[in-house]
Amino acid sequence: MSVVKSGVLALAMLATAPVFAAVTIDIDPAKPGAVINKNVYGQFAEHLGTGVYEGMWVGPKSDIPNTRGWRNDVVGALKELHVPLVRWPGGCFADVYHWRDGIGPQDKRPSNVHTNAGGVVEIDEINAVGTHEFFDLIDMLGADAYVNGNVGTGSVQEMSDWVEYMTSDGGSPLARLRAQNGREKPFKVAFFGIGNELWGCGGNMKPEYYASLYSNYENFLRAPEQSRPKMIASGGSGFDTSWTDVLSKELKGRTIGISVHQYTVPTGNWDVKGKALGFEEGEWISTLANTLRMDQLVKDHVAVLDKNDPEKKIGLLVDEWGTWYDEEESAKSALFQQNSLRDALVAALNFHIFHEHAERVPMTTIAQMVNVLQAMILTDKEKMVLTPTYYAFQMYVPFQDAKSLPLAIKDNTSYTLGALTIPGVSASAARAKDGKVYLALVNTDPHKAVDVAVNVAGTKLKGAAGKVLTSATMDAHNTFQDPQAIKPAAFSTRAAGGKLSINVPGKAVMVVALEE
């Protein structure tokens, strides 16, 4: 019998929801797969809209409680996600960003106006958040830094100087300048990306041209061995594998990963993408169907990597992913969009895909952390609200650095609407660092619950306990007026007659620890 311990709206339906079908999941803990790198749960903070300014940074003189300018509420919430990695400062912004504008006394830093995102978004950049401030945030979160350098409007010398400024531990002029600006010890730059979207906003380049540029840049980005960042090449967009092909041939031994970007657009049409809220069921299923295409995308790029890099030294890094909807006229800032239960399912479905390809996908960063696209957090002046995507990331924390476990889904249901059919249940299993086996489940059908029978080879299960995220409506979301309209509820169930069955409500994300 399932027990839900929460007063969250609509969760009472768990007790009465009709059981649509029985699905069986078999897990084999004796044949563990690759470790799910914690960096699969990476985040992305770009200087775009209110993603950084107001959303995260308010300055030390603000009335909003902060620590050295960073909002205490936002930082505290992000720490609950165990954020492993933050990519910064872009995105398209990276290729117009000049790092020297963001160091030194705040009152002496220049202000700039940047046209970004293909000329759509204009950014007033005050440069209050620069290198030192970013690494202060990194320290507060206990995360690793993924810094993106400027190829589009920068130079080899500028990028080389920035790497030296951040990593040098000697008495070089740039190390002394860093000390003069308040930091004696080098910063820890875990990863360094050479440009962003060089096929588009980063310079409209061809992959062969960028491969030559990359080699030149990489050659001059020198750092002490103990603080040398791992280099990342900017790859292609979506299903275009030409960049992955060229770069994996040309850059062997000089990069740990090639990036690829893939956004989920409900309609598949970038001119009319679809609504964030108030959508019909047709856009619910089309969004989930489109996000499930990530699996084929990864397979296509991995096939190229397997051909050119059989030793598997190069990873596929999906360092921009998430939903992208039509911008509302009332949006408070550029690319600000509401975030609903549908987004939580999108996140979970992508997690399962990344887990499945853990051997080749060691890093992803969702776009983005705060106030931009599929954000974890929304802010409005002093107010803050957590989104359903935030809760999805929180529920999946046990999967960070967990060992993936093979599973088989038998008699899976299907969810069909019109011409579209997708799997009814998606699942992923892993043995976490705490020794427990965790099972994540998604029921894509917004109407029908499903019973999932769970078997773990060689183990007699006693029960399962964890959390479930669902609601009565497909576009359930939190607002500044009602910040807890949707949040996870506690869930537990016991085995009966030696068999464990989990009832998963419609349109739900569930993560449970299996009790052996």
Side-chain angles (χ1 to χ4, degrees):
M1 179 177 179
S2 300
V3 179
V4 178
K5 303 171 183 174
S6 175
V8 177
L9 177 65
L11 287 177
M13 70 181 185
L14 293 178
T16 58
V19 176
F20 177 62
V23 176
T24 299
I25 291 179
D26 293 322
I27 302 170
D28 189 352
K31 298 178 181 177
V35 170
I36 300 165
N37 195 310
K38 65 180 180 179
N39 290 333
V40 162
Y41 290 89
Q43 299 283 341
F44 176 28
E46 182 171 7
H47 290 229
L48 183 60
T50 55
V52 173
Y53 300 115
E54 184 194 311
M56 301 174 72
W57 170 272
V58 291
K61 297 180 181 178
S62 173
D63 291 336
I64 297 173
N66 68 87
T67 299
R68 296 180 296 280
W70 293 105
R71 293 180 63 134
N72 292 343
D73 53 356
V74 170
V75 171
L78 290 171
K79 289 176 73 171
E80 292 295 317
L81 299 185
H82 299 262
V83 174
L85 175 87
V86 181
R87 180 179 178 228
W88 172 87
C92 291
F93 180 77
D95 281 295
V96 295
Y97 180 66
H98 299 285
W99 68 272
R100 288 180 184 271
D101 290 344
I103 62 171
Q106 292 265 342
D107 60 354
K108 295 202 164 95
R109 297 182 190 180
S111 294
N112 315 105
V113 176
H114 294 299
T115 301
N116 204 348
V120 175
V121 179
E122 219 175 50
I123 299 172
D124 295 316
E125 176 55 54
I126 61 175
N127 286 304
V129 173
T131 303
H132 291 255
E133 290 77 18
F134 170 66
F135 279 97
D136 191 23
L137 173 66
I138 286 293
D139 289 344
M140 284 191 280
L141 293 178
D144 280 339
Y146 170 10
V147 178
N148 228 138
N150 180 349
V151 170
T153 64
S155 67
V156 175
Q157 184 67 62
E158 180 182 22
M159 197 181 293
S160 175
D161 287 348
W162 195 15
V163 171
E164 181 181 339
Y165 181 88
M166 291 186 289
T167 65
S168 176
D169 59 357
S172 74
L174 286 167
R176 292 198 298 271
L177 178 60
R178 185 188 67 230
Q180 179 184 320
N181 289 329
R183 175 78 178 200
E184 289 277 354
K185 295 180 180 179
F187 295 113
K188 182 188 174 186
V189 185
F191 303 94
F192 192 90
I194 299 178
N196 168 79
E197 292 190 3
L198 279 305
W199 46 266
C201 65
N204 294 318
M205 300 176 188
K206 302 294 184 185
E208 294 81 6
Y209 178 69
Y210 171 66
S212 295
L213 268 185
Y214 181 97
S215 294
N216 188 28
Y217 274 80
E218 195 271 345
N219 181 62
F220 288 99
L221 301 187
R222 296 164 186 165
E225 185 174 355
Q226 67 272 19
S227 56
R228 187 173 299 155
K230 296 174 181 176
M231 296 297 173
I232 293 171
S234 176
S237 175
F239 286 83
D240 179 4
T241 60
S242 62
W243 284 72
T244 300
D245 187 34
V246 170
L247 294 175
S248 58
K249 288 176 182 174
E250 297 292 324
L251 307 180
K252 285 183 180 178
R254 297 199 297 271
T255 180
I256 59 93
I258 298 169
S259 72
V260 64
H261 294 171
Q262 172 71 1
Y263 287 94
T264 296
V265 175
T267 64
N269 180 351
W270 280 89
D271 293 327
V272 183
K273 294 182 279 293
K275 296 190 292 185
L277 300 176
F279 48 83
E280 301 295 329
E281 188 179 347
E283 283 191 11
W284 168 275
I285 191 172
S286 67
T287 301
L288 302 187
N290 284 335
T291 214
L292 285 169
R293 296 178 70 226
M294 179 70 82
D295 183 57
Q296 189 59 53
L297 179 147
V298 171
K299 287 176 179 175
D300 289 354
H301 286 272
V302 166
V304 173
L305 289 177
D306 286 345
K307 177 186 68 173
N308 297 337
D309 175 41
E311 296 178 352
K312 300 186 177 181
K313 294 182 177 179
I314 300 173
L316 183 70
L317 315 180
V318 190
D319 61 9
E320 287 188 31
W321 66 275
T323 51
W324 196 320
Y325 306 126
D326 289 326
E327 192 164 342
E328 300 289 337
E329 289 185 9
S330 59
K332 62 191 295 291
S333 65
L335 298 187
F336 181 97
Q337 63 186 36
Q338 252 296 353
N339 188 297
S340 74
L341 174 62
R342 177 178 61 170
D343 295 279
L345 267 73
V346 165
L349 291 171
N350 279 280
F351 295 158
H352 295 181
I353 294 167
F354 300 146
H355 295 174
E356 180 70 20
H357 299 284
E359 186 176 40
R360 273 296 199 186
V361 182
M363 178 200 296
T364 83
T365 56
I366 191 170
Q368 296 182 10
M369 287 175 88
V370 181
N371 286 344
V372 175
L373 297 177
Q374 192 175 345
M376 309 297 106
I377 295 169
L378 303 178
T379 67
D380 183 13
K381 300 181 177 62
E382 77 285 354
K383 296 178 182 178
M384 180 193 80
V385 67
L386 306 179
T387 69
T389 298
Y390 174 95
Y391 290 122
F393 270 79
Q394 187 180 52
M395 290 165 67
Y396 278 77
V397 165
F399 285 88
Q400 292 188 21
D401 284 340
K403 187 154 283 190
S404 59
L405 297 177
L407 61 75
I409 304 179
K410 298 176 182 177
D411 301 319
N412 199 357
T413 61
S414 294
Y415 165 43
T416 298
L417 185 68
L420 287 176
T421 296
I422 62 175
V425 173
S426 173
S428 185
R431 189 174 293 279
K433 291 188 291 184
D434 64 7
K436 297 178 182 178
V437 173
Y438 285 83
L439 175 64
L441 297 163
V442 175
N443 182 359
T444 62
D445 193 311
H447 306 297
K448 298 174 181 177
V450 61
D451 267 348
V452 177
V454 182
N455 303 308
V456 176
T459 302
K460 186 174 183 180
L461 295 176
K462 298 177 182 178
K467 291 188 175 181
V468 59
L469 181 67
T470 188
S471 190
T473 59
M474 293 181 291
D475 69 346
H477 59 283
N478 293 324
T479 66
F480 300 110
Q481 295 72 37
D482 189 1
Q484 297 192 45
I486 175 172
K487 65 179 183 179
F491 173 91
S492 65
T493 189
R494 306 303 299 172
K499 296 182 179 180
L500 177 64
S501 181
I502 298 174
N503 181 256
V504 186
K507 55 182 178 306
V509 178
M510 180 182 289
V511 176
V512 293
L514 302 180
E515 300 174 9
E516 301 179 27

